[in-house]
Amino acid sequence: MRKLATVVLAAGQGKRMKSSKAKVLHLLAGRPMLHYPLNAARETGSQKIVVVTGYQQEQVRKTFSDTDIVYALQNRQLGTGDAVMSAREALADFNGDTLLLCGDIPLIKGSTLKKLINFHREEENSVTVLTTRKNNPAGYGRIVRDEKGTIQKIVEEKDASPQEKKISEVNSGIYCFDSTFLFKALDSISHHNAQNEYYLTDTIAIAREQKNKAGFLLVPDETEVMGINNRIELARADGEIRKQILERLMLRGVTIIDPQNTYLDLDVQVGKDTAIYPHTFLTGNTKIGEDCLIESGCQISESKIGSHVTIRCNSVINGSVIRDRATIGPFAHIRPASDIGEEVRVGNFVEVKKTSIGKKSKAAHLSYLGDTTIGSEVNIGAGTITCNYDGVKKHPTVIEDNAFIGSNTELVAPVKIGQGSLIGAGSTITRDVPPDSLTVGRAKQVNLKKKPNLTPPGKS
Ligand code: UD1
Ligand code: CA
């Protein structure tokens, strides 16, 4: 078996993005663009992956620090041909085929790359280019063939004659090369063209001149090889990837009410019989169990949701765990490092931060629970607030099993409420409460006899 290496071009700035961030770092379904061609390359079983960086190379290297990647540096962006030359050293002792990918062509599938490699080898080509037909070929290099249909050369848009501009078959920017041919051909390319750049595309004409075999493989679906050059194309590719994510999940038994208005990142996992309502964003490394209901307008990121969980509309959950059969929301805010236990109910306008809530406990309305450890079967009355911050430091609150916290209670941390205790509504608790106590910490009500003709306050 011949060896296979991959070179991914990612040195360009992507001027047409009008961004201070390198193009390949822009996100598609929550992952930087470059992730996608790298992943497709891995599916081919490529033994070596060389990424050519230049613009913001440190950020690119930091973002993709995977150990299977070797980096090459292109100091100045002198064109795609020059970019490949920068990989020469990294491939000095390599003999075999080189798959050439671009960091800005993210929708390419591993299966198509495998077809390209097999075809290239069967045909014993020196270079095989992946092409497609486009309704609007503007901006792409055109594939020029002779009368027999053999590929002659690739002409860039800016160098093309009016006749050549009419060609609808274009260069995808993806190729398979015989490595020895590639680097020899690159030695003879020049920058005498409209853009003053070293074009990798010139290797096709060079192959023809040197009587080496050049071929092409046509991809029927032009979307798969679309290049991302501006934000319009970025949005289009993002939509396409998200559509694929949702279709994969629907085929695995997840109900998506309105796929056009549901947004899931690449790494999100969802179990079967879970239903997701529109305008929901599930992002980052989020995992949802089976038979859950995620109502509309929810944002869940970096969280693990168990099975049979209901997340009611407009709830925000971040960096937390929600266990089986819990109910959250509507309008709940679960902030990082929270752990919501089985069968717990967190209701409307409840904010929870760095707090664990034990099995079957309830905080049904209007509360703030921060830095708190709550046992099981606890009832947190409406309006309960943990005063966890003294202006300098955060302090913990502990509420043990079966405690009942009356409505509108303030728990001034650090404080501990013992098991089975009952706190009267409206209390301000500043000291620990022993187990099984009845504690009331509020001003005593006084009822006085009203004087005749006393004007009530506020009325004159
Ligand atoms: C390129 C092709 C064009 C093809 C199109 C497909 C050339 C000359 N043209 O045009 O035929 O139809 O892709 O999308 O190859 N890059 C570097 N260093 C450089 C220049 C570019 O690393 O000096 C990288 C870019 O980061 C990018 C890729 O190469 O990932 C393609 O470069 P880009 O400038 O986008 O080329 P296109 O004009 O799209
Ligand atoms: Ca491009």
Side-chain angles (χ1 to χ4, degrees), residues 66-81:
D66 318 52
T67 49
D68 62 342
I69 299 173
V70 179
Y71 282 99
L73 178 64
Q74 185 193 24
N75 279 316
R76 287 195 300 149
Q77 280 68 70
L78 303 174
T80 48

Side-chain angles (χ1 to χ4, degrees), residues 16 23 102 104-105 139-140 172 227-229 233:
R16 289 164 280 181
K23 175 160 73 177
C102 289
D104 65 349
I105 306 178
Y140 284 77
S172 71
I228 312 302
N229 295 312
E233 289 160 342

